Amino acid sequence: MNAVMGKILWVDLTAGTCEVQEIPEKVYEKMLSGMGLAAYILYQRIPVGADPLGPENVLGFVSGLLTGTGSLMSGRWMAAAKSPLTHTWGDANCGGSLSPAIKQCGYDGIFFTGMSPRPVYLYVGHGKAELVDAEGVWGKDCRETEQALKAQYEGKTVSVACIGPAGEKLSLIAGISNDEGRMAARSGLGAVMGAKKLKALVLQGAHRIPVYDEARVKQLSEGFNRWISFQPPFLNGTLMGLLGTSMRWLPLQMRQDGLLYKVLLSKWGTVSMNQYSIETGDSPIKNWDGSCAEFNFKRSSSINPDRFRERELVKYHCYSCPLGCGGMCTIKKGSKEETHKPEYESVLAFGGMLMNEDLDSLFEINEKLNRAGMDSISAGGTVAFAFECYEKGLITRDDTGGLELTWGNTAAILKLVDLMIARDGIGDLLADGSRAAARRMQKQAEAYAVTAGGQELAMHDGRNDPGFALHAVVEPTPGRHTIGSYLYYEMFQLWTKVKRLPKVRWLFYPKGSKYTADREKAIWAAACSQFTDLINGCGLCLFAGLVGVNRLPIFEWLNAATGWEKTPEEYMQIGLNIHLVRQAFNAREGLALKAPINERALGRPPAQKGANRGRSVLLEELVPMYWKEMGLDETNGHPTAAAMAAIGLPELVQAPAKAA
Amino acid sequence: MAYQITEDCIGCSACVRWCPVGAIHGERKQQHTISADICITCGACGRVCPSKAVRNQHGQIPESVKPKEWLRPLWNYQSCVACRICVQACPVGCIELAPAGANDGLKPGKPYLVKQAACLGCALCQSSCPLDVISMEKR
């Protein structure tokens, strides 16, 4: 087998044992590695009805099929388990250095079952795997933990994934940290680690990763790198914001090309979109109830991307990434303390969502959450929920211990984040996300919890691009922004390689056409779902996909790395296979496959001001059309028996076990 | 395919000391063996063997070379994109990224040989570099 190691490692935390399982080549041919391998394993091994924080849940860490093959932007690792936040299939995705480290240890994935009676971490060296007592690092934050564990091992570079206090305290919005601040943040999988008393993975293998045609892979990488190297010098942060303002006023929508986005990512990282997104209505403001009319250009200048660049000391690249959208920054001007540059999501979740203009606080909150191992999207959404509840009188000063949760009160935001991390006072109520908090409060509080399926929505507004709202409710992992949208479809440019897919022909088209529900939108969305699952099977970065498959040689890399001779259509079918198995996981749990979403995020009632005024999302029309294009039962989204059988892996159509 | 040790081995254990992954076992003055599933074919054992008792994966006997004469990586920083693949590939962890403010010929954020004496000259960094910006040179 090429491009994969052909094995996974099982770790039984109850028994304290490790065991190797060989994976047949047919599984990789049908499901790839990464997300596909995780779906293949978890679907078979997690019993129906399993408690996400119990011993029957299986937590997998998987590398991508293209990771370590000489391809570029293919260093993403994924964690997957049943989510304690949404009780659906859960996954989270991260860059850093863990993905190649999993393969270098000789495995395509490491899967944990059971629960340890005491804190442990897994060490996998070259030809050696063992559980080690973690009492010494239990209680430490993510950065301290990683530094302490790395200091214990000499020689080959060590890669660590760990939880911080949030995961240890079973916060349902806890993530898993890698490289001292890169976070597999979503789905609450840090809490699964915490429940299993698994503090960290420490990986130090040095195996070579077999590749079918190394020279061809490199040749393709060189060609792709030429696109990534393209960088015009003339852009500045204010210009980006003004571009957003003009796009807002324009009655036409411009078809987006990912090469422009690549240019912005290279220069500023994801924060390049801060003001642009606020101005165009992509970024929600004031817990989804405000707009750029309130958080206007002057106020949002506090998060002008140039302000972030001023603090950047050196670029940060994930493994195999020539782009380098990350950065190491000083936490304050003049300070010597280094921190990862906050991402767009974190900045907007604690900026515009809370009407907060204090840039220092955004860096500080980002560092606090990175150290705690808590998802900044969900944390920001939950703080915004609390602020609105305070405004509406559902939370009082007595509840907050004297904190005044008024919009833009930076000191209160900082304190509330501390309380959530420590599960102290009102922080205990909020540490499990806004939906769980609302359910413990008065009934009307749920109206202010802006989630899909219980997961706080990210900073991309479906009222601006209905594709984001659609994917937030139909994906097996609800509430995600990294799978599909109309914008992503334009950028993926799949029609250049997958000939059945429709081309977005016009450079400019009427903005109003985004808000109709027609079959073409469903075809776009289905293509995005399949392609993103394919990307996640490869371990590719979403941003690589956004550069467009006319430049990203994903299909060509796959064939060169594996020796297969599959067509783009066949690879899209593999993406669909992965999606089907994740969808079937939710279906057999008896869950509604159209996740409940906060009405506010759909424009019900429509906003009165700002970029998205008067807009709403025709979700009821879009969902069945999407299910039909995916080949799912268009009445309920269930995968059909025929579709599951067509994957070609009989073990996936057997009756699942029930939870004990 | 892994490296193998032949019956010419004199059991000096020089290879054991240099093997970065602990793949070689054997009593002193006895013939040593290499675990095929652990060996990463870095070639260090062959280069340090004084009795030419190591065969590489192609069945050839590598030339013995003194460690200080081993070729070591040199980066073309104009073409290097700081993708960290070489850092991750190095089996002894002797490549790191230069920190912010680095000078003396280093480039902030780009790789450099942090522990020259530990480098095995295995060229895994060179072969894994997707953009061929590493040359192996006498340092």
Side-chain angles (χ1 to χ4, degrees):
Chain A
M1 276 189 269
N2 289 301
V4 294
M5 310 310 284
K7 289 182 289 186
I8 60 171
L9 181 69
W10 278 102
V11 183
D12 184 334
L13 290 160
T14 305
T17 56
C18 299
E19 194 178 314
V20 176
Q21 179 187 347
E22 297 200 350
I23 303 295
E25 185 165 12
K26 194 177 176 188
V27 174
Y28 298 103
E29 286 220 37
K30 302 290 183 186
M31 301 288 289
L32 296 190
S33 190
M35 181 86 93
L37 178 63
Y40 174 78
I41 297 292
L42 267 55
Y43 185 71
Q44 294 178 79
R45 292 293 291 264
I46 299 179
V48 177
D51 175 1
L53 298 180
E56 291 180 317
N57 200 4
V58 177
L59 174 63
F61 292 80
V62 286
S63 179
L65 186 130
L66 283 177
T67 300
T69 59
S71 53
L72 299 175
M73 297 180 81
S74 56
R76 306 290 293 186
W77 58 276
M78 280 140 279
K82 184 175 178 182
S83 165
L85 180 65
T86 60
H87 283 248
T88 62
W89 167 274
D91 60 67
N93 186 306
C94 187
S97 64
L98 197 82
S99 189
I102 294 170
K103 273 178 147 171
Q104 287 179 302
C105 286
Y107 308 107
D108 295 310
I110 300 172
F111 292 85
F112 294 88
T113 61
M115 292 169 89
S116 173
R118 61 182 190 287
V120 291
Y121 69 88
L122 175 75
Y123 172 78
V124 188
H126 205 81
K128 174 185 178 185
E130 61 181 0
L131 287 168
V132 184
D133 186 277
E135 290 286 2
V137 287
W138 196 257
K140 289 188 187 294
D141 71 38
C142 292
R143 291 190 76 171
E144 292 168 342
T145 300
E146 189 164 337
Q147 288 163 6
L149 292 173
K150 281 181 170 174
Q152 293 181 32
Y153 297 95
E154 291 185 338
K156 166 87 176 67
T157 302
V158 173
S159 295
V160 173
C162 66
I163 54 169
E168 291 179 15
K169 292 175 191 289
L170 309 186
S171 159
L172 300 187
I173 56 172
I176 303 169
S177 170
N178 161 225
D179 269 17
E180 296 190 35
R182 313 304 293 182
M183 194 78 63
R186 310 241 65 195
S187 302
L189 300 185
V192 179
M193 257 178 104
K196 291 185 179 301
K197 291 271 194 300
L198 174 66
K199 179 67 176 173
L201 283 77
V202 179
L203 307 183
Q204 203 182 20
H207 279 287
R208 286 177 188 255
I209 296 157
V211 177
Y212 176 74
D213 187 345
E214 280 183 24
R216 174 68 179 145
V217 172
K218 280 191 182 186
Q219 184 189 30
L220 292 164
S221 296
E222 281 168 8
F224 181 57
N225 185 56
R226 280 195 284 277
W227 287 110
I228 297 296
S229 308
F230 170 71
Q231 196 66 19
F234 51 80
L235 289 166
N236 71 46
T238 307
L239 195 65
M240 277 304 299
L242 291 171
L243 183 66
T245 310
S246 58
M247 296 295 283
R248 172 155 56 88
W249 290 113
L250 207 63
L252 299 172
Q253 177 77 35
M254 190 174 82
R255 187 186 72 214
Q256 305 283 302
D257 189 308
L259 198 57
L260 171 65
Y261 191 45
K262 191 281 338 155
V263 168
L264 307 179
L265 284 174
S266 290
K267 181 159 184 175
W268 290 287
T270 53
V271 292
S272 59
M273 304 305 287
N274 290 353
Q275 277 188 287
Y276 178 90
S277 287
I278 291 169
E279 288 296 304
T280 55
D282 175 43
S283 179
I285 301 295
K286 203 179 175 187
N287 200 30
W288 297 72
D289 198 32
S291 72
C292 58
E294 291 130 302
F295 205 67
N296 58 26
F297 199 86
K298 191 176 168 200
R299 295 186 76 171
S300 68
S301 294
S302 56
I303 51 171
N304 179 319
D306 287 336
R307 304 287 88 78
F308 291 80
R309 205 150 181 256
E310 286 163 10
R311 298 188 184 198
E312 189 170 276
L313 298 167
V314 65
K315 288 272 182 203
Y316 171 90
H317 296 242
C318 294
Y319 173 84
S320 80
C321 181
L323 196 154
C325 68
M328 298 309 296
C329 298
T330 52
I331 197 160
K332 277 187 182 160
K333 261 190 177 170
S335 164
K336 286 191 175 169
E337 189 184 348
E338 280 191 24
T339 184
H340 275 281
K341 181 169 63 186
E343 301 292 340
Y344 161 84
E345 297 293 336
S346 315
V347 171
L348 270 296
F350 282 92
M353 275 279 278
L354 297 164
M355 307 295 283
N356 175 24
E357 297 169 52
D358 187 311
L359 183 63
D360 281 344
S361 75
L362 297 174
F363 276 83
E364 193 178 340
I365 291 164
N366 189 57
E367 179 68 9
K368 280 177 190 287
L369 294 171
N370 283 350
R371 285 182 176 273
M374 188 178 271
D375 176 11
S376 59
I377 296 173
S378 280
T382 304
V383 173
F385 158 83
F387 273 49
E388 187 158 5
C389 286
Y390 186 84
E391 185 181 63
K392 301 287 192 294
L394 301 176
I395 291 176
T396 65
R397 272 189 71 150
D398 286 345
D399 299 321
T400 64
L403 280 182
E404 291 195 24
L405 305 187
T406 49
W407 299 108
N409 183 347
T410 305
I413 299 168
L414 283 161
K415 182 65 183 169
L416 204 53
V417 168
D418 285 338
L419 294 174
M420 284 168 68
I421 292 168
R423 273 195 180 277
D424 188 10
I426 192 170
D428 185 44
L429 175 74
L430 301 172
D432 293 326
S434 57
R435 185 176 70 170
R439 286 180 175 174
R440 289 165 62 185
M441 294 165 58
Q442 300 168 52
K443 176 129 183 70
Q444 60 264 44
E446 280 212 44
Y448 311 120
V450 185
T451 76
Q455 179 146 251
E456 285 70 20
L457 294 174
M459 303 300 111
H460 299 283
D461 198 325
R463 293 169 295 185
N464 174 58
D465 181 336
F468 282 115
L470 175 61
H471 285 280
V473 303
V474 296
E475 292 295 333
T477 321
R480 298 291 290 275
H481 67 290
T482 48
I483 299 164
S485 68
Y486 302 164
L487 173 73
Y488 291 0
Y489 184 77
E490 290 175 7
M491 289 181 166
F492 288 154
Q493 302 205 39
L494 286 162
W495 60 82
T496 61
K497 295 281 172 70
V498 184
K499 299 301 178 189
R500 70 178 162 85
L501 292 173
K503 181 179 179 181
V504 180
R505 292 190 182 281
W506 306 106
L507 183 58
F508 290 95
Y509 54 88
K511 237 179 217 173
S513 68
K514 288 199 294 183
Y515 305 99
T516 58
D518 50 61
R519 183 170 172 236
E520 189 158 274
K521 306 288 187 344
I523 294 172
W524 296 357
C528 284
S529 289
Q530 293 164 28
F531 184 60
T532 311
D533 269 323
L534 178 69
I535 279 180
N536 289 335
C538 295
L540 277 166
C541 177
L542 175 68
F543 297 156
L546 294 179
V547 178
V549 297
N550 50 333
R551 305 177 183 107
L552 173 78
I554 174 173
F555 307 116
E556 297 83 353
W557 266 333
L558 281 164
N559 282 339
T562 59
W564 301 335
E565 294 177 346
K566 293 186 189 295
T567 63
E569 282 285 1
E570 288 172 311
Y571 282 118
M572 291 295 278
Q573 177 63 43
I574 293 176
L576 178 60
N577 291 349
I578 298 170
H579 192 93
L580 284 173
V581 178
R582 294 167 62 227
Q583 187 83 341
F585 181 95
N586 287 353
R588 73 182 186 188
E589 293 280 337
L591 300 165
L593 300 183
K594 174 175 167 268
I597 186 170
N598 188 297
E599 295 282 302
R600 191 180 272 181
L602 301 176
R604 297 174 187 167
Q608 300 298 310
K609 289 184 288 185
N612 296 323
R613 70 181 177 280
R615 292 173 181 169
S616 51
V617 182
L618 301 175
L619 202 61
E620 278 64 36
E621 287 91 329
L622 285 166
V623 169
M625 285 195 286
Y626 164 83
W627 282 339
K628 186 177 179 189
E629 293 304 324
M630 288 292 283
L632 301 163
D633 185 324
E634 59 188 288
T635 63
N636 58 17
H638 282 227
T640 63
M644 289 297 287
I647 295 173
L649 295 169
E651 57 272 39
L652 294 178
V653 291
Q654 288 164 1
K658 290 265 193 303
Chain B
M1 283 290 286
Y3 276 52
Q4 290 180 317
I5 295 177
T6 70
E7 58 202 17
D8 294 332
C9 173
I10 57 172
C12 69
S13 292
C15 53
V16 175
R17 287 193 292 278
W18 281 94
C19 177
V21 292
I24 307 175
H25 301 280
E27 298 293 323
R28 278 191 72 81
K29 299 190 178 174
Q30 301 286 317
Q31 183 179 342
H32 287 25
T33 54
I34 298 176
S35 298
D37 56 341
I38 298 180
C39 172
I40 58 168
T41 65
C42 69
C45 51
R47 286 194 296 280
V48 298
C49 179
S51 54
K52 294 191 180 298
V54 176
R55 287 188 187 278
N56 66 18
Q57 67 269 46
H58 309 296
Q60 301 152 337
I61 295 177
E63 195 182 337
S64 294
V65 185
K66 287 180 182 165
K68 63 181 177 185
E69 291 173 8
W70 289 350
L71 303 181
R72 293 189 162 101
L74 198 64
W75 286 263
N76 172 357
Y77 287 137
Q78 281 205 314
S79 304
C80 173
V81 293
C83 72
R84 301 167 45 161
I85 288 180
C86 53
V87 176
Q88 195 69 30
C90 177
V92 291
C94 67
I95 302 173
E96 288 182 6
L97 299 177
N103 43 33
D104 292 337
L106 305 181
K107 296 277 183 192
K110 302 255 172 135
Y112 73 107
L113 195 56
V114 66
K115 290 176 272 188
Q116 187 153 320
C119 174
L120 301 174
C122 66
L124 268 168
C125 50
Q126 183 192 36
S127 63
S128 65
C129 176
L131 303 175
D132 287 333
V133 307
I134 302 174
S135 55
M136 297 301 289
E137 314 260 342
K138 210 173 249 187
R139 304 283 289 271

